[in-house]
């Protein structure tokens, strides 16, 4: 079963000017501010996108760390561009005398205001959330794909972008987009008659309350690993953000689902009444709150709940895909989104998520793995598919999570037969210094070469690859850029591999 073909990719009427920072309303909406009635024609959260009659929404994430003068410049620019009123959150300043100004105390109030202006309160589509360190993108991909098969249409928001169909995707600035973008996409989905909106909920999205006012009917927590720890102030605060999201969903009457094989998830969600689980099948009857899963012959996913069991055929050939597909099944089942007998048709022959152990040439795969846990899972999934050597090319991003670099080097050395360490979004750090920190974890355990130029590293790895070998190119997956010194430069691992292999053999490695 396949989903309906998508129309050509373009912003729907709500978003104007090719930007997700300017949301045009269907018609001017009356809005009372400071005893004055204003007709709001659009909502903008970037002063550069403001147009005549727009409401300028100045959010905390745009103010934190900025001096008062910069905030005032944003407001002055918005006014000069024709903003009809100003809404701020958690900012107690007199900004533009004479301009209608609504000062809100919280993001929840801002979310409620957007729901009222956009007319989305208590209206479809259903919103489903997925959080966790690894696997979010794949689970969201699978749930969206399944719901599109069932409902005719379903959208998703996350690392892969704003996906309206498998062949219709728009890039997003963040995994969990801004408050305005999220509410605007939900409003557009309602206008378009979309059946469901599936969202990746990142730790930053929770911390900055970008999901405020979004009613999640179901949510899933996949795991907890190492990512963004320095930005959040340590592992305990990172963990607390994941917990906060699930608690909010449960408090709002939504169904919460967790990975029953992950101790931290079990400990935290076990405190919530009505939590449900997906676990590897260890035999015996399934409990009423559990979906048990196992794999036969590497391509058949067996699912068992208290009501019975079904088999999903032709699943992607990787262990982490099996677990993610089981997670998707649990979310569909316990979230009341699909019946047990629906699951085989909805999940069988699931296409591989973009950039997630995606084969781009014979024996060559790209993957987004950029945490220690994800890299270990990738290597473990690839080893059974490999008849020769398992080759790995990867790096670590700059400006974050230095502590994981040596650990990823250690995992790579223990799981692969040869390594290439290269750049991966060095940002404002020295790429060679990052590579040397990774190499410290390798500690001579396996052959390792440092080649900072990612294209040259890929060429060298392809040259070294034998016909029985399998090459994993990790870290970027679907990403279309490399960020160096604050500039995102176009890049694609898949395109690089294909371009090299298209060249005549005598010129391929020149």
């Amino acid at each position: 079963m396949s989903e309906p073909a998508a129309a050509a990719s373009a912003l729907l009427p709500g978003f104007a000017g090719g930007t997700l920072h300017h949301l045009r309303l269907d018609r001017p909406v009356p809005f009372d501010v400071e005893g004055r009635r204003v007709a709001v024609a659009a909502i903008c959260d970037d002063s550069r996108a403001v147009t005549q009659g727009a409401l300028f929404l100045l959010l905390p994430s745009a103010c934190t760390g900025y001096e008062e003068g910069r905030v005032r410049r944003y407001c002055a620019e918005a006014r000069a561009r024709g903003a009809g009123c100003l809404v701020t959150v958690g900012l107690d300043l007199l900004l533009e005398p004479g301009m209608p100004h609504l000062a809100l105390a919280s993001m929840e109030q801002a979310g409620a205001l957007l729901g009222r202006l956009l007319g989305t309160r208590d209206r479809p589509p259903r919103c489903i959330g997925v959080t966790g360190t690894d696997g979010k993108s794949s689970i969201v991909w699978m749930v969206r794909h399944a719901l599109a098969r069932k409902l005719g249409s379903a959208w998703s928001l996350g690392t892969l972008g704003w996906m309206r169909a498998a062949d219709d995707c728009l890039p997003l600035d963040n995994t969990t987009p801004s408050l305005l973008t999220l509410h605007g996409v939900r409003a557009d989905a309602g206008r378009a008659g979309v059946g469901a909106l599936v969202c990746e909920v990142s730790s930053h999205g929770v911390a900055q309350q970008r999901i405020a006012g979004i009613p999640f009917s179901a949510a899933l927590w996949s795991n907890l690993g190492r990512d963004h720890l320095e930005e959040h102030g340590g592992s305990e605060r990172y963990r607390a953000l994941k917990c906060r999201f699930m608690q909010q969903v449960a408090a709002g009457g939504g169904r919460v689902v967790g990975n029953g094989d992950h101790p931290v998830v079990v400990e935290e969600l076990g405190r919530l009444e009505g939590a449900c689980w997906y676990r590897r099948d260890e035999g015996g009857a399934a409990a009423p709150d559990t979906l048990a899963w196992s794999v036969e012959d590497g391509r058949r996913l067996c699912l068992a709940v208290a009501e019975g069991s079904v088999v999903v055929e032709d699943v992607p050939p990787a262990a982490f895909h099996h677990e993610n597909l089981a997670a998707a099944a649990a979310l569909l089942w316990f979230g009341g989104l699909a019946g047990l007998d629906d699951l085989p048709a909805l999940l069988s022959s699931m296409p591989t998520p973009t950039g997630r152990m995606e084969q781009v040439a014979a024996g060559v795969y790209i993957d987004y793995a950029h945490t220690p846990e994800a890299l270990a899972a990738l290597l473990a999934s690839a080893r059974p598919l490999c008849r020769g050597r398992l080759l790995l090319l990867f790096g670590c991003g700059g400006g974050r999570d230095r502590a994981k670099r040596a650990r990823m080097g250690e995992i790579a050395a223990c799981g692969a037969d040869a390594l290439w360490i290269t750049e991966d979004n060095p940002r404002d750090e020295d790429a060679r210094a990052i590579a040397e920190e990774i190499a410290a974890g390798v500690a001579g355990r396996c052959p390792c070469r440092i080649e900072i130029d990612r294209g040259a590293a890929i060429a060298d790895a392809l040259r070294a690859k034998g016909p029985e070998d399998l090459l994993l190119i990790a870290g970027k997956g679907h990403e279309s850029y490399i960020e160096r010194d604050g500039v995102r430069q176009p890049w694609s691992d898949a395109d690089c591999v294909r371009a090299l292999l298209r060249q005549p053999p005598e010129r391929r490695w020149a």
Side-chain angles (χ1 to χ4, degrees):
M1 182 189 297
S2 62
E3 63 181 287
S9 181
L11 292 176
L12 289 179
F15 290 102
T19 175
L20 294 174
H21 298 286
H22 183 286
L23 182 63
R24 184 176 59 238
L25 303 185
D26 291 334
R27 58 185 179 276
V29 176
F31 182 48
D32 292 326
V33 187
E34 297 178 328
R36 298 159 63 182
R37 174 149 290 203
V38 178
V40 176
I43 308 171
C44 304
D45 62 2
D46 185 325
S47 59
R48 296 166 296 186
V50 169
T51 55
Q52 191 68 36
L55 180 155
F56 178 43
L57 181 62
L58 187 61
L59 298 173
S61 57
C63 307
T64 304
Y66 290 129
E67 72 277 7
E68 180 180 333
R70 183 171 296 184
V71 172
R72 292 191 182 281
R73 284 199 297 275
Y74 291 154
C75 295
E77 180 179 18
R79 187 172 194 173
R81 289 177 176 271
C85 62
L86 170 66
V87 174
T88 60
V89 180
L91 193 61
D92 188 19
L93 289 173
L94 179 62
L95 293 169
E96 284 292 315
M99 182 180 186
H101 176 193
L102 176 62
L104 301 176
S106 69
M107 289 288 281
E108 284 298 329
Q109 291 180 346
L113 174 63
L114 288 175
R116 180 166 67 85
L117 291 174
L118 299 175
T120 56
R121 293 186 299 183
D122 304 319
R123 292 179 60 185
R126 295 183 66 172
C127 296
I128 300 104
V130 177
T131 196
T133 305
D134 299 309
K136 294 191 300 297
S137 299
S138 294
I139 296 169
V140 165
W141 166 283
M142 292 168 176
V143 173
R144 190 214 65 80
H145 198 91
L147 289 176
R149 287 174 169 179
K150 180 177 176 60
L151 303 174
S153 64
W155 291 356
S156 65
L157 295 170
T159 305
L160 296 176
W162 172 7
M163 186 165 290
R164 301 191 296 231
D167 59 350
D168 181 12
C169 187
L170 293 165
L172 295 171
D173 293 336
N174 303 104
T175 296
T176 303
S178 73
L179 183 75
L180 177 61
T181 299
L182 187 49
H183 279 266
V185 168
R186 183 164 180 258
D188 273 353
R191 280 192 290 267
V194 173
L197 179 63
V198 191
C199 305
E200 286 187 57
V201 180
S202 68
S203 53
H204 289 99
V206 179
Q208 297 175 11
Q209 300 179 70
R210 301 176 198 159
I211 56 174
I214 299 295
F216 288 96
S217 63
L220 180 140
W221 186 356
S222 62
N223 49 53
L224 187 77
R226 297 185 62 90
D227 205 16
H228 305 297
L229 300 189
E230 294 170 0
E231 295 164 84
H232 291 307
S235 59
E236 288 305 312
R237 291 188 179 181
Y238 178 59
R239 173 175 174 167
L241 290 168
K242 303 294 187 184
C243 293
R244 187 200 302 177
F245 169 60
M246 300 303 283
Q247 289 165 354
Q248 289 172 347
V249 173
R255 180 59 64 93
V256 295
V257 182
N259 185 346
D261 295 318
H262 196 288
V264 171
V265 176
V266 172
E267 179 183 350
E268 295 295 348
L269 292 193
R271 301 187 178 104
L272 300 181
E273 185 177 354
C276 298
W277 313 96
Y278 61 100
R279 292 187 170 96
R280 287 179 175 84
D281 195 340
E282 297 179 351
D289 64 353
T290 299
L291 180 147
W293 65 276
S294 60
V295 179
E296 292 181 351
D297 303 325
R299 299 303 298 269
R300 303 176 78 236
L301 180 67
C302 304
L303 306 173
V305 295
E307 290 78 0
S309 61
V310 294
V311 175
V312 176
E313 303 282 357
D314 190 27
V315 300
F320 63 86
H321 282 325
H322 302 159
E323 183 173 26
N324 291 333
L325 198 60
L331 189 51
L332 292 167
W333 168 247
F334 290 119
L337 299 161
L340 181 63
D341 292 338
D342 296 329
L343 295 179
L346 298 181
L347 298 174
S348 291
S349 302
M350 178 64 66
T352 303
T354 305
R356 274 55 179 176
M357 199 154 177
E358 178 184 359
Q359 187 169 3
V360 295
V364 182
Y365 294 80
I366 62 170
D367 193 88
Y368 188 53
H370 61 282
T371 68
E373 296 81 6
L375 190 63
L378 175 65
L379 290 164
S381 293
R383 179 61 75 179
L385 307 177
C386 181
R387 291 182 293 180
R389 297 177 302 159
L390 181 55
L391 314 179
L392 173 65
L393 182 151
F394 76 111
C396 288
R400 61 189 60 171
D401 297 322
R402 288 189 63 184
K404 75 180 183 183
R405 295 171 186 171
R407 176 61 180 150
M408 289 183 69
E410 179 184 358
I411 288 169
C414 293
D417 300 311
L419 303 177
W420 283 258
I421 300 175
T422 187
E423 62 182 335
D424 180 349
N425 296 337
R427 298 184 177 89
D428 58 352
E429 285 194 65
D430 178 68
R432 181 162 293 277
I434 295 173
E436 289 172 354
E437 289 184 35
I438 299 170
V442 176
R445 291 181 178 88
C446 82
C448 173
R449 176 173 179 176
I450 294 178
E451 171 55 71
I452 300 304
D453 183 285
R454 195 170 180 95
I458 290 174
D460 191 58
L462 288 171
R463 180 168 55 244
K465 179 185 175 300
E468 301 292 305
D469 297 341
L470 189 152
L471 171 61
L472 298 173
I473 302 174
K476 300 201 68 61
H478 68 285
E479 284 188 343
S480 59
Y481 64 87
I482 290 180
E483 185 174 343
R484 305 182 182 99
D485 297 320
V487 178
R488 290 188 173 187
Q489 301 169 344
W491 179 261
S492 166
D493 283 346
D495 288 350
C496 178
V497 170
R498 291 167 180 148
L500 285 167
L501 295 180
R502 276 197 302 267
Q503 295 180 12
E506 65 273 13
R507 297 179 53 195
R508 188 172 294 167
W509 319 122

